Amino acid sequence: YNVLTVDSGKACIDKLIDRKNKNEKVDLLLLDYKLGDISGDVVARKAKEIQNTKIVLITAFELDDKVIQDLVQNKYVVDVIKKPILLEQLSKKIEENMK
């Protein structure tokens, strides 16, 4: 895989915009919920507007069921994983969503 990294929600959005402007698709985004500047659900909604990237939301927090339902039902995210994450679990999620 070609892996891109960023260190904030804003940087993630900027990277997606940059890739779109270069006609380069980001196939899968592993997105932490708790970011320093913007929450992961806000980034997921914005990412969906920018390009149709599959997003796996990762969280250590107990998210409100309504938030998760909205994100999944409206296809902002394809899955939600709770921390701690086992490498095998993460690898499986990546493989499933790269098809």
Side-chain angles (χ1 to χ4, degrees), residues 19 49 51-52 61 82 89 92 96-97:
R19 291 293 171 162
E49 292 174 20
Q51 61 174 274
N52 196 22
F61 299 92
K82 295 193 178 193
Q89 177 189 24
K92 182 179 176 184
E96 288 172 0
N97 287 292

Side-chain angles (χ1 to χ4, degrees), residues 42-81:
V42 173
V43 174
R45 293 171 204 283
K46 185 68 176 169
K48 187 72 170 181
E49 292 174 20
I50 297 166
Q51 61 174 274
N52 196 22
T53 302
K54 292 180 180 177
I55 299 172
V56 174
L57 187 66
I58 301 169
T59 184
F61 299 92
E62 286 298 322
L63 299 180
D64 185 301
D65 287 340
K66 290 180 184 179
V67 170
I68 294 173
Q69 252 182 348
D70 178 59
L71 291 171
V72 173
Q73 286 179 349
N74 290 304
K75 300 184 180 182
Y76 294 115
V77 301
V78 294
D79 207 345
V80 177
I81 302 175

